[in-house]
Amino acid sequence: MKKLNDAQRRAVEYCDGPLLILAGAGSGKTRVLTHKTMYLIRNCGINPGEILAVTFTNKAANEMKERIRKLLGISTWGLWISTFHSACIRILRAHADSIGYSKSFTVYDDSDQKAFVKKCMVDLEINLEQLKPKSVQQMINRGKNNLLSPEAMLERAYTQYDKSAAKVYGYYQSAMVQNNTMDFGDILSNAVALLESNPDILKKYQQMFRYILVDEYQDTNIAQYSLLKMLAKEHKKICVVGDDDQSIYRFRGANILNILNFERDYKNVEVIKLEENYRSTKNILKAAHGVISLNTSRKAKELFTQKEEGDKIKCFNAQSDVHEAKYVIAEILKFCDAGIPFKDIAIFFRTNAQSRVFEEEFFKAGVPYILIGGLKFYARAEIKDIIAYLKIISGVNDIISIKRIINRPRRGIGKMTFEKVEKYMTANGCDFFSAVPDLIDTGAVKKNICRKLADFTALITGLKEYASTNNIGDLIKHLYKETGYQEMLADDPLGENKDRINNVDEFIAGAYQFVEESPETDLSTFLDFISLVSDIDKYDESSDRVTLITLHSAKGLEFPVVFMTGMEEGVFPHIRSFDSKEDIAEERRLCYVGITRAKQHLIITHASSRHTYNMPSLQKPSRFLKDIPSHLLERINGGGLSKRGSFSGDLFPGRRTFHDFHEDPHGEKYQQDIIENHFYDEDSSNEYIIGAKYAHPVFGIGILKSVEGSPGNEKLTIYFPRAGRKKILATFAKLRRC
DNA sequence: AAGAATAACGTTTTT
DNA sequence: CGTTATTCTT
């Protein structure tokens, strides 16, 4: 308690009724949350099992558990610290039957959902050209976020387009129940529906949760809002923590009014503001305030800090996207020279697509990095295939998963056969595994195909049996082999499957770890876990790498050094936000979130030209740059624009042309030889000899000029005839002596 | 049914 | 551009 400031202490100690904590960025809200939980247990006589704490990411939940465990010195057993989604799944699993689901329901992710929407539209014979599955999917999600039933959506629909979309929604919804699957939206809306239609169950949870804590309240949607309102009705002891300035999830249904109207929604609300920032320098905070203060309809506040002024904010105008990346790397190497570890440095961007250029340049420069998000681990084809097998084994015969793996690896069951089974299923209202024997009996399919289908069902039956007596790690290993999947990947003369094989191995290793940590868990629990885990949850800050991350994923994190890149009109703020005032306001908040992640150094970059879809386009600096008081900025012109405002020299210096890749007189073949003959050879010595030749996967062969740094962490300067002088980190770049 | 060739689509952001 | 979906050919 002594470590807390006055406001923080009041926030911890007020436990009598509804409490709104307006916690600015870096104001120590996680500290308040953990201390408050401890206070409830120690001083208010509340048992751990009577507290519900909700966060938005598993990472935040785990961190909170960990901190409580350390502070309190007790196990967090019984505490409900989880995300909205995990908490809802837990409730739903316990009472699935009362809303027409079986306990073994599975969760559809975004792409499963899209496939299922499409299937529904095909069933309804809707022209997929006129009504796009993707927009129907969005409309369904919008409905669920706002707790609108298909009927309610139909009522609100004015255009024919909306009307038919609402019709699909209705059909989709009943098909999902029949299929025993839920999408992300269902997890919340079905939990609400469950509690609404079962007063006894609701009562049980109302009494159970004597205190409710909610983190990131500004990002809750209507469904989450209603859920909280219902659960808190009994004791009215709810504490929400949030910052209206950091609301950045409008696109997935978050309603900023939830936090702005909290005082109206609950009676006798205590409001506590945390405005002292413990994270950033004065200059960084002033810059952030410059940007956010231009938003209307926000709760007025300004953060302050006792920290020093700090450096000015660097603002670099690059010529191109590639130039931008090169500049960032050069600056990173300077920080590195100054003794700042890579893990203290992060690069933020608005869209995932922007990461590619950075990845390329980081690889070339030999700087270690980790990319968060992008192509997510669990979204990879091979991982999704294995998960599909697991879902089927777990007993839900959901059609999307079956379709996914019925012919992977090849079993001679093609599109035609699958369609036959599907038709039979819809005609008779049965599931896949009861349709198959019927179909065989009626002789609707040819004999050899019958055999193949029977073999497939036998395979699944065998796996189910295996699953009943073995742990999840063994099960995955077993099915990997039994299904022939392993063999399929191993048959790979070109070595193209290497990554996939590694991914599966990693997945198996992860499963074993899961088993070790919680040996009791069944298959559904495991599947719930992986369907709700994101990359950020697995993010491990222990390894020394630069973090590449989207602004959205960066929320909740902090770094001593932050690069905010692509600060250009159209990129950030994104072009799709231009025609709505609310969307621009949200982009502004996102910018605020980005700036306030920085502790010591903030570097902003923008490029004068950028490639999108491989087409170069001219870029103007972001409007947000103008909103930062200019005396806080140190502008650096990287030669993007000449004095007259037109380009000098190469119009698009970052453009990668055929010429760039092939200017080497020896041609591509020569480059390939270098890689084959030198790059993959084993090297046992780790001494570096000045004057010796080394092969680099990208730059080819060069001569070592100098070595800096300690053994095991050498920084090499190498002269490459083809690429020029480069500074390379020995531990990261795969160099070969030759 | 499998594999190859061709077309189409996409870039906000994610639990 | 790169990935995925669809169509064509065998």
Coordinates of all heavy atoms in Angstrom, one line a residue, chain A residues 487-563:
Chain A
E487 N 3.3 -38.3 -43.2 CA 3.9 -38.9 -44.4 C 3.7 -37.9 -45.6 O 4.6 -37.7 -46.4 CB 3.2 -40.2 -44.7 CG 4.0 -41.1 -45.6 CD 3.2 -42.4 -45.9 OE1 2.2 -42.6 -45.3 OE2 3.7 -43.1 -46.8
M488 N 2.5 -37.3 -45.6 CA 2.2 -36.4 -46.7 C 3.2 -35.2 -46.6 O 3.8 -34.8 -47.7 CB 0.8 -35.8 -46.5 CG 0.4 -34.8 -47.5 SD -1.2 -34.2 -47.2 CE -0.9 -32.9 -45.9
L489 N 3.5 -34.7 -45.4 CA 4.4 -33.6 -45.3 C 5.9 -34.0 -45.6 O 6.7 -33.3 -46.2 CB 4.4 -32.9 -43.9 CG 3.1 -32.1 -43.6 CD1 3.2 -31.5 -42.2 CD2 2.9 -31.0 -44.6
A490 N 6.2 -35.3 -45.2 CA 7.5 -35.7 -45.4 C 7.9 -36.0 -46.8 O 9.1 -35.9 -47.2 CB 7.7 -37.0 -44.6
D491 N 6.9 -36.3 -47.6 CA 7.1 -36.5 -49.1 C 7.3 -35.1 -49.7 O 6.4 -34.5 -50.2 CB 5.9 -37.2 -49.7 CG 6.1 -37.4 -51.2 OD1 7.3 -37.4 -51.6 OD2 5.1 -37.5 -51.9
D492 N 8.6 -34.7 -49.7 CA 8.8 -33.3 -50.0 C 10.2 -33.1 -50.6 O 11.1 -32.6 -49.9 CB 8.6 -32.5 -48.7 CG 8.9 -31.0 -48.9 OD1 8.5 -30.5 -50.0 OD2 9.4 -30.4 -47.9
P493 N 10.4 -33.5 -51.8 CA 11.8 -33.4 -52.4 C 12.3 -32.0 -52.5 O 13.5 -31.8 -52.4 CB 11.6 -34.1 -53.8 CG 10.1 -34.0 -54.0 CD 9.4 -34.0 -52.7
L494 N 11.4 -31.0 -52.6 CA 11.9 -29.7 -52.7 C 12.2 -29.0 -51.4 O 12.7 -27.8 -51.4 CB 10.9 -28.8 -53.6 CG 10.7 -29.3 -55.0 CD1 9.5 -28.7 -55.6 CD2 12.0 -28.9 -55.9
G495 N 11.8 -29.6 -50.3 CA 12.0 -29.0 -49.0 C 11.1 -27.9 -48.7 O 11.4 -27.0 -47.9
E496 N 10.0 -27.8 -49.4 CA 9.1 -26.7 -49.3 C 8.2 -26.8 -48.0 O 7.6 -25.9 -47.5 CB 8.1 -26.6 -50.5 CG 8.3 -25.3 -51.3 CD 8.5 -24.1 -50.4 OE1 7.6 -23.8 -49.6 OE2 9.5 -23.3 -50.7
N497 N 8.2 -28.0 -47.4 CA 7.3 -28.3 -46.3 C 8.0 -28.1 -44.9 O 7.5 -28.3 -43.9 CB 6.7 -29.7 -46.3 CG 5.7 -29.8 -47.4 OD1 5.2 -28.8 -47.9 ND2 5.3 -31.0 -47.7
K498 N 9.3 -27.7 -45.0 CA 10.1 -27.6 -43.8 C 9.4 -26.8 -42.7 O 9.3 -27.2 -41.6 CB 11.4 -27.0 -44.1 CG 12.6 -28.0 -44.1 CD 13.9 -27.3 -44.2 CE 14.9 -28.0 -43.4 NZ 16.2 -27.4 -43.4
D499 N 8.9 -25.6 -43.1 CA 8.2 -24.8 -42.1 C 7.0 -25.5 -41.5 O 6.8 -25.4 -40.3 CB 7.8 -23.5 -42.8 CG 9.0 -22.5 -43.0 OD1 10.0 -22.8 -42.4 OD2 8.8 -21.5 -43.7
R500 N 6.3 -26.1 -42.4 CA 5.0 -26.8 -42.0 C 5.3 -27.8 -40.9 O 4.7 -28.0 -39.9 CB 4.3 -27.4 -43.2 CG 3.8 -26.3 -44.1 CD 3.0 -26.9 -45.3 NE 2.7 -26.0 -46.3 CZ 1.8 -25.0 -46.2 NH1 1.1 -24.9 -45.1 NH2 1.6 -24.1 -47.2
I501 N 6.4 -28.6 -41.3 CA 6.8 -29.7 -40.3 C 7.2 -29.1 -39.0 O 6.7 -29.6 -37.9 CB 7.9 -30.6 -41.0 CG1 7.4 -31.3 -42.2 CG2 8.4 -31.5 -39.9 CD1 8.4 -32.0 -43.0
N502 N 7.9 -28.1 -39.1 CA 8.3 -27.4 -37.8 C 7.1 -26.9 -37.0 O 7.1 -27.0 -35.8 CB 9.3 -26.2 -38.1 CG 10.7 -26.7 -38.5 OD1 11.1 -27.8 -38.2 ND2 11.4 -25.8 -39.2
N503 N 6.2 -26.3 -37.8 CA 5.0 -25.8 -37.1 C 4.3 -26.9 -36.4 O 3.8 -26.7 -35.2 CB 4.1 -25.1 -38.1 CG 4.6 -23.8 -38.6 OD1 5.4 -23.2 -37.9 ND2 4.2 -23.4 -39.7
V504 N 4.1 -28.0 -37.0 CA 3.4 -29.2 -36.4 C 4.2 -29.6 -35.2 O 3.6 -29.9 -34.1 CB 3.2 -30.3 -37.4 CG1 2.5 -31.5 -36.6 CG2 2.3 -29.9 -38.5
D505 N 5.5 -29.7 -35.3 CA 6.3 -30.1 -34.2 C 6.1 -29.2 -33.0 O 6.0 -29.6 -31.8 CB 7.8 -30.2 -34.6 CG 8.1 -31.4 -35.5 OD1 7.2 -32.3 -35.5 OD2 9.1 -31.4 -36.1
E506 N 6.1 -27.9 -33.3 CA 5.9 -26.9 -32.3 C 4.6 -27.0 -31.6 O 4.4 -26.9 -30.4 CB 6.1 -25.5 -32.9 CG 6.2 -24.4 -31.9 CD 6.1 -23.0 -32.5 OE1 6.7 -22.8 -33.6 OE2 5.5 -22.1 -31.9
F507 N 3.6 -27.3 -32.4 CA 2.2 -27.5 -31.9 C 2.2 -28.7 -31.0 O 1.6 -28.6 -29.9 CB 1.3 -27.7 -33.1 CG -0.2 -27.8 -32.7 CD1 -0.7 -26.8 -31.9 CD2 -1.0 -28.9 -33.2 CE1 -2.1 -26.9 -31.6 CE2 -2.3 -28.9 -32.8 CZ -2.9 -28.0 -32.0
I508 N 2.8 -29.8 -31.4 CA 2.9 -31.0 -30.5 C 3.6 -30.7 -29.2 O 3.1 -31.0 -28.1 CB 3.5 -32.2 -31.2 CG1 2.7 -32.6 -32.4 CG2 3.8 -33.3 -30.3 CD1 3.3 -33.6 -33.3
A509 N 4.7 -30.0 -29.3 CA 5.4 -29.6 -28.1 C 4.6 -28.7 -27.2 O 4.5 -28.9 -26.0 CB 6.7 -28.8 -28.5
G510 N 3.8 -27.8 -27.8 CA 2.9 -27.0 -27.0 C 1.9 -27.8 -26.3 O 1.5 -27.5 -25.2
A511 N 1.3 -28.8 -27.0 CA 0.3 -29.6 -26.4 C 0.8 -30.4 -25.2 O 0.2 -30.5 -24.2 CB -0.2 -30.6 -27.5
Y512 N 2.1 -30.9 -25.4 CA 2.7 -31.6 -24.2 C 2.8 -30.7 -23.0 O 2.6 -31.1 -21.9 CB 4.0 -32.2 -24.6 CG 3.8 -33.6 -25.3 CD1 4.2 -33.8 -26.6 CD2 3.3 -34.7 -24.5 CE1 4.0 -35.0 -27.2 CE2 3.2 -35.9 -25.1 CZ 3.5 -36.1 -26.4 OH 3.4 -37.3 -27.0
Q513 N 3.2 -29.4 -23.4 CA 3.4 -28.5 -22.3 C 2.1 -28.2 -21.6 O 2.0 -28.1 -20.3 CB 3.9 -27.2 -22.9 CG 4.6 -26.2 -21.8 CD 4.9 -24.9 -22.4 OE1 5.2 -24.8 -23.6 NE2 4.7 -23.9 -21.6
F514 N 1.1 -28.1 -22.4 CA -0.3 -27.9 -21.8 C -0.7 -29.1 -20.9 O -1.2 -28.9 -19.8 CB -1.3 -27.8 -23.0 CG -2.7 -27.3 -22.6 CD1 -2.9 -26.0 -22.5 CD2 -3.6 -28.2 -22.2 CE1 -4.2 -25.5 -22.2 CE2 -4.9 -27.8 -21.9 CZ -5.2 -26.5 -21.8
V515 N -0.4 -30.3 -21.4 CA -0.7 -31.5 -20.6 C 0.0 -31.4 -19.3 O -0.5 -31.7 -18.2 CB -0.3 -32.7 -21.4 CG1 -0.4 -34.0 -20.5 CG2 -1.2 -32.9 -22.6
E516 N 1.3 -31.0 -19.3 CA 2.1 -31.0 -18.1 C 1.6 -30.0 -17.1 O 1.5 -30.3 -15.9 CB 3.5 -30.6 -18.5 CG 4.6 -31.1 -17.6 CD 6.0 -30.8 -18.1 OE1 6.3 -31.4 -19.2 OE2 6.7 -29.9 -17.6
E517 N 1.2 -28.8 -17.6 CA 0.7 -27.8 -16.7 C -0.7 -28.1 -16.1 O -1.0 -27.8 -15.0 CB 0.6 -26.4 -17.5 CG 2.0 -25.8 -17.5 CD 2.0 -24.7 -18.6 OE1 1.0 -24.2 -19.0 OE2 3.2 -24.2 -18.9
S518 N -1.5 -28.7 -16.9 CA -2.9 -29.1 -16.4 C -3.2 -30.4 -17.0 O -3.9 -30.6 -18.0 CB -3.9 -28.0 -16.8 OG -3.6 -27.5 -18.1
P519 N -2.8 -31.5 -16.3 CA -2.9 -32.9 -16.7 C -4.4 -33.3 -16.8 O -4.7 -34.2 -17.5 CB -2.2 -33.7 -15.7 CG -1.5 -32.7 -14.8 CD -2.1 -31.4 -14.9
E520 N -5.3 -32.6 -16.1 CA -6.7 -33.1 -16.0 C -7.5 -32.7 -17.2 O -8.5 -33.3 -17.5 CB -7.3 -32.4 -14.8 CG -6.6 -32.7 -13.5 CD -6.6 -34.2 -13.1 OE1 -7.7 -34.7 -12.9 OE2 -5.5 -34.8 -13.1
T521 N -7.0 -31.7 -18.0 CA -7.9 -31.1 -19.0 C -8.3 -32.1 -20.1 O -7.5 -32.9 -20.5 CB -7.3 -29.9 -19.6 OG1 -6.0 -30.3 -20.1 CG2 -7.2 -28.8 -18.7
D522 N -9.5 -31.9 -20.5 CA -10.0 -32.8 -21.6 C -9.8 -32.0 -22.9 O -9.4 -30.9 -23.0 CB -11.5 -33.2 -21.4 CG -12.3 -31.9 -21.3 OD1 -11.8 -30.8 -21.2 OD2 -13.6 -32.1 -21.3
L523 N -10.2 -32.7 -24.0 CA -10.0 -32.2 -25.3 C -10.7 -30.9 -25.6 O -10.1 -30.0 -26.2 CB -10.4 -33.3 -26.3 CG -10.0 -33.1 -27.8 CD1 -8.5 -32.7 -27.9 CD2 -10.3 -34.4 -28.6
S524 N -11.9 -30.8 -25.1 CA -12.7 -29.6 -25.4 C -12.0 -28.4 -24.7 O -12.0 -27.3 -25.3 CB -14.1 -29.6 -24.8 OG -14.7 -30.8 -25.0
T525 N -11.5 -28.6 -23.5 CA -10.8 -27.5 -22.8 C -9.6 -27.0 -23.6 O -9.3 -25.9 -23.7 CB -10.4 -27.9 -21.4 OG1 -11.5 -28.6 -20.8 CG2 -10.0 -26.7 -20.6
F526 N -8.9 -28.0 -24.1 CA -7.7 -27.7 -24.9 C -8.1 -26.9 -26.1 O -7.5 -25.9 -26.5 CB -7.0 -29.0 -25.3 CG -5.8 -28.8 -26.1 CD1 -4.6 -28.2 -25.6 CD2 -5.8 -29.2 -27.5 CE1 -3.5 -28.1 -26.4 CE2 -4.7 -29.0 -28.3 CZ -3.6 -28.4 -27.8
L527 N -9.2 -27.4 -26.8 CA -9.6 -26.7 -28.0 C -10.1 -25.3 -27.7 O -9.9 -24.3 -28.5 CB -10.7 -27.5 -28.7 CG -10.2 -28.8 -29.4 CD1 -11.4 -29.7 -29.8 CD2 -9.3 -28.5 -30.5
D528 N -10.8 -25.1 -26.6 CA -11.2 -23.8 -26.2 C -10.0 -22.9 -26.0 O -9.9 -21.7 -26.5 CB -11.9 -23.8 -24.8 CG -13.3 -24.4 -24.9 OD1 -13.8 -24.5 -26.0 OD2 -13.9 -24.7 -23.8
F529 N -9.0 -23.4 -25.3 CA -7.8 -22.7 -25.1 C -7.2 -22.2 -26.4 O -6.9 -21.0 -26.5 CB -6.8 -23.6 -24.3 CG -5.4 -23.0 -24.2 CD1 -5.2 -21.9 -23.3 CD2 -4.4 -23.5 -24.9 CE1 -4.0 -21.4 -23.1 CE2 -3.1 -22.9 -24.8 CZ -2.9 -21.9 -23.9
I530 N -7.0 -23.1 -27.3 CA -6.3 -22.6 -28.5 C -7.1 -21.8 -29.4 O -6.6 -20.9 -30.1 CB -5.7 -23.8 -29.3 CG1 -6.7 -24.8 -29.7 CG2 -4.5 -24.4 -28.6 CD1 -6.1 -26.0 -30.4
S531 N -8.5 -21.9 -29.3 CA -9.3 -21.1 -30.2 C -9.3 -19.6 -29.6 O -9.7 -18.7 -30.4 CB -10.7 -21.6 -30.3 OG -11.3 -21.6 -29.0
L532 N -8.9 -19.4 -28.4 CA -9.0 -18.1 -27.8 C -7.6 -17.5 -27.6 O -7.5 -16.4 -27.1 CB -9.8 -18.1 -26.5 CG -11.2 -18.5 -26.6 CD1 -11.9 -18.5 -25.2 CD2 -12.0 -17.6 -27.5
V533 N -6.6 -18.2 -28.0 CA -5.3 -17.7 -27.8 C -4.8 -16.9 -29.0 O -5.0 -17.3 -30.1 CB -4.3 -18.8 -27.5 CG1 -2.8 -18.3 -27.6 CG2 -4.5 -19.4 -26.2
S534 N -4.2 -15.7 -28.8 CA -3.7 -15.0 -29.9 C -2.1 -14.9 -29.7 O -1.6 -15.3 -28.7 CB -4.2 -13.6 -29.9 OG -3.7 -12.9 -28.7
D535 N -1.5 -14.4 -30.8 CA 0.0 -14.4 -30.8 C 0.5 -13.6 -29.6 O 1.5 -13.9 -29.0 CB 0.5 -13.9 -32.1 CG 0.3 -14.9 -33.2 OD1 -0.3 -15.9 -32.9 OD2 0.9 -14.7 -34.3
I536 N -0.2 -12.5 -29.3 CA 0.4 -11.6 -28.3 C 0.4 -12.4 -26.9 O 1.2 -12.1 -26.1 CB -0.5 -10.3 -28.2 CG1 0.1 -9.3 -27.2 CG2 -1.9 -10.6 -27.7 CD1 1.3 -8.6 -27.8
D537 N -0.5 -13.3 -26.8 CA -0.5 -14.1 -25.5 C 0.7 -14.9 -25.3 O 1.1 -15.2 -24.2 CB -1.7 -15.0 -25.5 CG -3.0 -14.2 -25.5 OD1 -3.1 -13.1 -25.1 OD2 -4.0 -14.8 -26.0
K538 N 1.3 -15.3 -26.4 CA 2.5 -16.2 -26.3 C 3.8 -15.3 -26.3 O 4.9 -15.9 -26.2 CB 2.5 -17.1 -27.5 CG 1.4 -18.1 -27.5 CD 1.7 -19.3 -28.4 CE 2.0 -18.9 -29.8 NZ 2.5 -20.0 -30.6
Y539 N 3.6 -14.0 -26.5 CA 4.7 -13.1 -26.7 C 5.6 -13.2 -25.4 O 5.2 -13.0 -24.3 CB 4.2 -11.7 -26.9 CG 5.3 -10.7 -26.9 CD1 6.5 -10.8 -27.6 CD2 5.1 -9.5 -26.3 CE1 7.4 -9.9 -27.7 CE2 6.0 -8.5 -26.3 CZ 7.2 -8.7 -27.0 OH 8.1 -7.7 -27.0
D540 N 6.8 -13.5 -25.6 CA 7.8 -13.7 -24.5 C 8.8 -12.7 -24.6 O 9.6 -12.6 -25.6 CB 8.3 -15.2 -24.6 CG 9.6 -15.3 -23.9 OD1 9.8 -14.6 -22.9 OD2 10.4 -16.1 -24.3
E541 N 8.9 -11.8 -23.7 CA 9.8 -10.7 -23.8 C 11.3 -11.0 -23.3 O 12.1 -10.1 -23.3 CB 9.3 -9.4 -23.1 CG 8.7 -9.5 -21.7 CD 7.2 -9.8 -21.7 OE1 6.4 -8.9 -22.0 OE2 6.9 -11.0 -21.5
S542 N 11.5 -12.3 -23.1 CA 12.8 -12.6 -22.6 C 13.9 -12.6 -23.6 O 15.1 -12.4 -23.3 CB 12.8 -13.9 -21.8 OG 12.4 -15.0 -22.7
S543 N 13.6 -12.9 -24.9 CA 14.6 -13.0 -25.9 C 14.9 -11.6 -26.4 O 14.0 -10.7 -26.5 CB 14.2 -13.9 -27.0 OG 13.1 -13.4 -27.7
D544 N 16.1 -11.4 -26.8 CA 16.6 -10.0 -27.1 C 16.3 -9.7 -28.6 O 17.2 -9.9 -29.4 CB 18.0 -9.8 -26.8 CG 18.5 -8.4 -26.9 OD1 17.6 -7.5 -26.8 OD2 19.7 -8.1 -27.1
R545 N 15.1 -9.3 -28.9 CA 14.8 -9.0 -30.3 C 13.9 -7.7 -30.4 O 13.2 -7.4 -29.4 CB 13.9 -10.1 -30.9 CG 14.6 -11.5 -31.0 CD 13.6 -12.6 -30.9 NE 14.3 -13.9 -31.2 CZ 14.3 -14.4 -32.4 NH1 13.6 -13.9 -33.3 NH2 14.9 -15.5 -32.6
V546 N 14.0 -7.1 -31.5 CA 13.2 -5.9 -31.7 C 11.8 -6.4 -32.0 O 11.6 -7.4 -32.7 CB 13.7 -5.1 -33.0 CG1 12.8 -4.0 -33.3 CG2 15.1 -4.6 -32.7
T547 N 10.8 -5.7 -31.4 CA 9.4 -6.1 -31.6 C 8.7 -5.4 -32.8 O 8.8 -4.2 -32.8 CB 8.6 -5.9 -30.3 OG1 9.2 -6.5 -29.2 CG2 7.2 -6.3 -30.5
L548 N 8.2 -6.1 -33.7 CA 7.4 -5.5 -34.8 C 5.9 -5.8 -34.5 O 5.6 -7.0 -34.4 CB 7.8 -6.1 -36.2 CG 9.2 -6.1 -36.6 CD1 9.3 -6.6 -38.1 CD2 9.8 -4.7 -36.5
I549 N 5.1 -4.8 -34.4 CA 3.8 -5.0 -33.9 C 2.8 -4.0 -34.4 O 3.2 -2.8 -34.7 CB 3.8 -5.0 -32.4 CG1 2.6 -5.6 -31.7 CG2 4.2 -3.6 -31.8 CD1 2.7 -5.8 -30.2
T550 N 1.6 -4.3 -34.6 CA 0.6 -3.3 -35.0 C 0.2 -2.5 -33.8 O 0.4 -2.9 -32.6 CB -0.8 -4.0 -35.5 OG1 -1.3 -4.7 -34.4 CG2 -0.6 -4.9 -36.7
L551 N -0.3 -1.3 -34.1 CA -0.7 -0.4 -33.0 C -1.7 -1.0 -32.1 O -1.7 -0.9 -30.9 CB -1.2 0.9 -33.6 CG -0.1 1.8 -34.1 CD1 -0.6 2.7 -35.2 CD2 0.4 2.7 -33.0
H552 N -2.6 -1.8 -32.7 CA -3.7 -2.4 -31.9 C -3.1 -3.4 -30.9 O -3.5 -3.4 -29.7 CB -4.7 -3.1 -32.8 CG -5.7 -2.1 -33.4 ND1 -5.5 -1.5 -34.6 CD2 -6.9 -1.7 -32.9 CE1 -6.5 -0.7 -34.8 NE2 -7.4 -0.8 -33.9
S553 N -2.2 -4.3 -31.4 CA -1.7 -5.3 -30.5 C -0.8 -4.7 -29.4 O -0.5 -5.3 -28.4 CB -0.9 -6.3 -31.3 OG -1.7 -6.9 -32.3
A554 N -0.3 -3.5 -29.7 CA 0.7 -2.9 -28.8 C 0.0 -2.3 -27.6 O 0.7 -2.0 -26.6 CB 1.5 -1.8 -29.5
K555 N -1.3 -2.2 -27.6 CA -2.0 -1.6 -26.4 C -1.7 -2.5 -25.2 O -1.7 -3.7 -25.2 CB -3.5 -1.6 -26.7 CG -4.2 -0.7 -25.6 CD -5.6 -0.4 -25.9 CE -6.4 -1.6 -25.6 NZ -7.8 -1.2 -25.3
G556 N -1.4 -1.8 -24.1 CA -1.1 -2.5 -22.9 C 0.4 -2.8 -22.7 O 0.8 -3.2 -21.7
L557 N 1.2 -2.6 -23.8 CA 2.6 -2.8 -23.7 C 3.4 -1.5 -23.5 O 2.8 -0.4 -23.7 CB 3.1 -3.5 -24.9 CG 2.5 -4.8 -25.3 CD1 3.1 -5.3 -26.6 CD2 2.6 -5.8 -24.2
E558 N 4.6 -1.5 -23.2 CA 5.4 -0.3 -23.1 C 6.9 -0.7 -23.5 O 7.3 -1.8 -23.3 CB 5.4 0.3 -21.7 CG 5.9 -0.7 -20.6 CD 6.0 0.0 -19.2 OE1 5.2 0.9 -19.0 OE2 6.9 -0.4 -18.5
F559 N 7.6 0.3 -24.1 CA 8.9 0.1 -24.6 C 9.8 1.4 -24.3 O 9.2 2.5 -24.6 CB 9.0 -0.2 -26.1 CG 8.3 -1.5 -26.4 CD1 6.9 -1.5 -26.8 CD2 8.9 -2.7 -26.4 CE1 6.2 -2.6 -27.1 CE2 8.2 -3.9 -26.8 CZ 6.9 -3.9 -27.1
P560 N 11.0 1.2 -23.9 CA 11.9 2.4 -23.8 C 12.0 3.2 -25.1 O 12.1 4.4 -25.2 CB 13.2 1.8 -23.4 CG 12.8 0.6 -22.6 CD 11.6 0.0 -23.4
V561 N 12.1 2.4 -26.2 CA 12.2 3.1 -27.5 C 11.1 2.6 -28.5 O 10.9 1.4 -28.7 CB 13.6 2.7 -28.2 CG1 13.7 3.4 -29.5 CG2 14.7 3.0 -27.3
V562 N 10.4 3.6 -29.0 CA 9.3 3.3 -29.9 C 9.5 4.0 -31.3 O 9.7 5.2 -31.3 CB 7.9 3.7 -29.3 CG1 6.8 3.7 -30.4 CG2 7.6 2.7 -28.2
F563 N 9.3 3.3 -32.3 CA 9.3 3.9 -33.7 C 7.8 3.8 -34.2 O 7.3 2.7 -34.3 CB 10.1 3.1 -34.7 CG 11.6 3.3 -34.4 CD1 12.3 2.5 -33.5 CD2 12.3 4.2 -35.1 CE1 13.7 2.6 -33.3 CE2 13.7 4.4 -34.9 CZ 14.4 3.6 -34.0

